[in-house]
Amino acid sequence: MLLQLICATSNSILDRAIDSEEAQHKDFLRLEHVEGYHELSAKTKIFFSTAVAKWDAEFYVKVDDDVHVNLGMLAATLAHHRSKPRVYIGCMKSGPVLSQKTVKYHEPEYWKFGEEGNKYFRHATGQIYAISKDLATYISINQPILHKFANEDVSLGSWFIGLEVEHIDDRNMCCGTPPDCEWKAQAGNVCVASFDWSCSGICKSVEKIKFVHERCGEGEGAVWSALL
């Protein structure tokens, strides 16, 4: 099931538009949560806890709304790891821990990561990642005591440290937009997900995402072929 994630906001024009679309498509999951960049870690905990309670699935996937996803390729990728009990799938990275308050992605708790200039532990980039049922259940059970760092992707990675978890670094989940994903598709290596690193998503996604799909999208029957 594909759902769009909506958090509680004020009664605005946007909210009324969302209400209208939800009434038509019924594909929204509403969370009681205040939106904001520094609340993303909390939203992640609430999302996985809610999803586990509502649906019995083998995997749970988080995707930003400015990322192009080929659902058939995503399903095939997850199916490949179905027999593994605790897997964490995404584009793994290990960026620098930023102690300067004036920079983007500043980490207030930088001192917990050792000497200045150190890097984070390996974790999946936040644009898209998947976790198996056992890990989503772990988050749900331990939600009150899971620590939240400044950045959501770092927080998620930290929750799995000390657990027997297999990290799957799948670079097909972080292709660039055309020409990158287009060239790969032409070579028979269709990407799971595509976005622009410079924008942490597709730059100007409202205008560009249809173009990305035309160049990098899988065939219309790909989802059903993967499921079968």
Side-chain angles (χ1 to χ4, degrees), residues 172-191:
N172 266 348
M173 295 179 73
C174 55
C175 296
T177 55
D180 180 46
C181 58
E182 184 176 12
W183 290 341
K184 291 175 179 175
Q186 291 172 352
N189 187 25
V190 179
C191 293

Side-chain angles (χ1 to χ4, degrees), residues 41-61:
S41 295
K43 181 168 73 172
T44 299
K45 291 199 288 187
I46 295 170
F47 164 64
F48 284 119
S49 298
T50 304
V52 166
K54 292 180 71 70
W55 299 288
D56 181 18
E58 292 177 290
F59 292 95
Y60 297 85
V61 182

Side-chain angles (χ1 to χ4, degrees), residues 45 84 91 105-106 108 119 129 200 205-206 223:
K45 291 199 288 187
K84 303 171 184 177
C91 286
Y105 306 128
H106 163 62
K119 291 186 175 183
Y129 53 76
S200 296
S205 60
V206 174
V223 173

Side-chain angles (χ1 to χ4, degrees), residues 213-228:
H213 183 68
E214 290 171 349
R215 295 293 188 275
C216 305
E218 60 197 355
E220 292 185 1
V223 173
W224 305 115
S225 296
L227 294 177
L228 295 174

